[in-house]
Amino acid sequence: MWEAYLAITLLLLVLTILPKIPNSHWVFRFPDFGKIQITYITLIVFAAGFLIEKNAYFWYFQGLLLAMFIFHGFILIRYTPLYRVKKHQQGKNSSKKYHFISANVYQFNKEYDQFISLIEKNKPEMFLTMESNGDWEKALQVLENEYPYQHKVTLENTYGMHFYSKINIEHSQTHFFVADDIPSIEAHLKTEDGFSFVFFGVHPPPPSPTEEETSKERDGDLLSTAKRVQEIDKPVIVVGDFNNVAWSKSSILFRKTSHLIDPRVGHSFVSTFHAKYRLLRFPIDLMFHSENIFIKNLKTLENFGSDHLPVYCQFFIDHQNDQQEERVEEASADEKAEAEEIIQEGKMEDGERNAVVTED
């Protein structure tokens, strides 16, 4: 028992230290994804420690486990209702409430009808699909009368994206910030009650043993989006499969560089992947918004056959309410320089992806 306790404690220590090392290889970045699970396991091992036979080093390792639990807990508590943030009510100057759904549909998922039923049930004004290829585009044609405004980037490499809207899209464009096969969507919309805003859809590649060896393209793509957001003088929403977690260094740098707000703070993790394994679920489908956009509801919806749960958001716009300004953090000069360096590294990285990806 002591050997197992010792081995697990040392493994937890390694997983805690690795993300603090400034290296973009997936080995160093991946433990951040499992911070929630690492925290729970740390607490379980700490409690189980009292059941094993004690030796001279017992209290040192118990103290180490307690310190790791406090370290992780201090970070994660910000993403729970225990961390209090002010709630905002709609005022007479605000827009009406709008809704969107963001979903990584999983390119090889054939449950098209389940997703279409999800849209028809929740009736969002907008929805974004990721990993949507030609088959998905064809299946979603039944919704085009109800969602007459569209922006489509049809790819077969698991990075296709489609944006559908009931709200008028005044203009839109596709960005390929760091690679010519990794798109982002920028759509400028105007509501019937006269409110303009910009919707960004993003889906950078993950650092993992099966995809990209490093996080350079992911981080470069996200920070390029953050830089573009700073050029826009309208309310902004950025949403999608970030393949990142909100507490990672690159997510924090994205938030500071873009001057956007993370709605998970004071709310919940909103974990989305993997849809089939609740205990191994990570919050990697993220959302950020500008200070004049107010979130009323942010949650996951039911599984429709994908490996990601869809994200549902309800929001309103209010240009007269400045009470969220205090939640906006700005990057320092050093952080801005770091962001520029990461963007350049992302552009130089040669991601090895097939133009057409088939299911194994």
Side-chain angles (χ1 to χ4, degrees), residues 2-242:
W2 168 257
E3 289 77 9
Y5 166 84
L6 180 61
I8 295 172
T9 300
L10 293 177
L11 176 60
L12 291 168
L13 178 62
V14 170
L15 294 174
T16 299
I17 292 173
L18 281 176
K20 307 302 291 183
I21 298 174
N23 188 304
S24 61
H25 194 279
W26 69 265
V27 169
F28 298 90
R29 304 278 60 86
F30 190 75
D32 254 342
F33 287 66
K35 185 177 286 290
I36 299 170
Q37 288 81 2
I38 290 169
T39 305
Y40 279 121
I41 294 171
T42 300
L43 182 60
I44 292 168
V45 175
F46 175 79
F50 292 104
L51 303 177
I52 67 173
E53 185 177 347
K54 300 173 180 59
N55 63 24
Y57 301 100
F58 172 77
W59 288 110
Y60 292 105
F61 285 101
Q62 285 293 86
L64 177 60
L65 286 165
L66 182 60
M68 287 191 289
F69 176 76
I70 293 171
F71 169 75
H72 292 301
F74 183 78
I75 294 170
L76 294 179
I77 197 170
R78 286 175 52 84
Y79 303 93
T80 72
L82 296 175
Y83 188 87
R84 301 302 295 272
V85 295
K86 188 174 181 179
K87 306 299 182 184
H88 301 279
Q89 301 298 321
Q90 278 182 277
K92 61 182 180 180
N93 297 314
S94 68
S95 72
K96 69 177 187 179
K97 288 194 285 285
Y98 294 99
H99 317 72
F100 70 79
I101 288 174
S102 168
N104 182 322
V105 297
Y106 181 58
Q107 181 171 300
F108 309 107
N109 173 23
K110 304 300 182 183
E111 302 294 338
Y112 309 120
D113 289 343
Q114 283 196 45
F115 182 74
I116 291 168
S117 295
L118 183 84
I119 296 299
E120 292 175 338
K121 174 184 174 182
N122 290 279
K123 296 180 171 56
E125 282 77 21
M126 303 156 283
F127 69 90
L128 172 74
T129 62
M130 292 154 286
E131 291 201 27
S132 41
N133 62 355
D135 291 339
W136 271 95
E137 181 178 315
K138 183 178 179 180
L140 294 174
Q141 286 177 353
V142 298
L143 295 171
E144 290 187 0
N145 287 336
E146 191 172 356
Y147 293 87
Y149 307 101
Q150 302 134 23
H151 186 104
K152 303 174 182 178
V153 189
T154 309
L155 298 172
E156 302 294 332
N157 64 350
T158 72
Y159 289 96
M161 302 179 77
H162 291 70
F163 180 60
Y164 297 82
S165 176
K166 296 178 181 179
I167 301 171
N168 179 37
I169 298 178
E170 294 188 310
H171 64 93
S172 60
Q173 59 184 311
T174 304
H175 295 287
F176 295 92
F177 286 122
V178 299
D180 59 7
D181 58 349
I182 301 295
S184 299
I185 291 175
E186 175 186 334
H188 292 245
L189 299 96
K190 188 168 186 178
T191 67
E192 290 184 353
D193 50 353
F195 287 84
S196 297
F197 66 98
V198 183
F199 187 101
F200 280 86
V202 300
H203 182 205
S208 79
T210 59
E211 299 212 32
E212 299 308 308
E213 185 174 300
T214 74
S215 64
K216 289 181 180 179
E217 279 192 312
R218 180 199 69 183
D219 296 343
D221 189 75
L222 292 176
L223 289 168
S224 295
T225 302
K227 187 176 178 181
R228 171 60 184 151
V229 167
Q230 273 299 289
E231 300 171 355
I232 298 173
D233 188 25
K234 295 178 184 177
V236 173
I237 292 171
V238 183
V239 67
D241 177 2
F242 278 56

Side-chain angles (χ1 to χ4, degrees), residues 249-263:
K249 181 180 179 181
S250 55
S251 280
I252 293 170
L253 189 57
F254 170 89
R255 174 166 50 81
K256 289 183 176 182
T257 303
S258 63
H259 299 177
L260 298 181
I261 296 168
D262 183 355

Side-chain angles (χ1 to χ4, degrees), residues 285-299:
D285 293 85
L286 304 183
M287 175 200 172
F288 295 86
H289 62 90
S290 54
E291 63 196 57
N292 37 25
I293 288 179
F294 297 82
I295 307 303
K296 294 294 291 181
N297 194 5
L298 182 66
K299 63 182 181 180

Side-chain angles (χ1 to χ4, degrees), residues 304-318:
F304 59 91
S306 174
D307 52 355
H308 289 246
L309 295 176
V311 174
Y312 169 92
C313 179
Q314 181 186 74
F315 69 96
F316 65 89
I317 304 169
D318 191 341

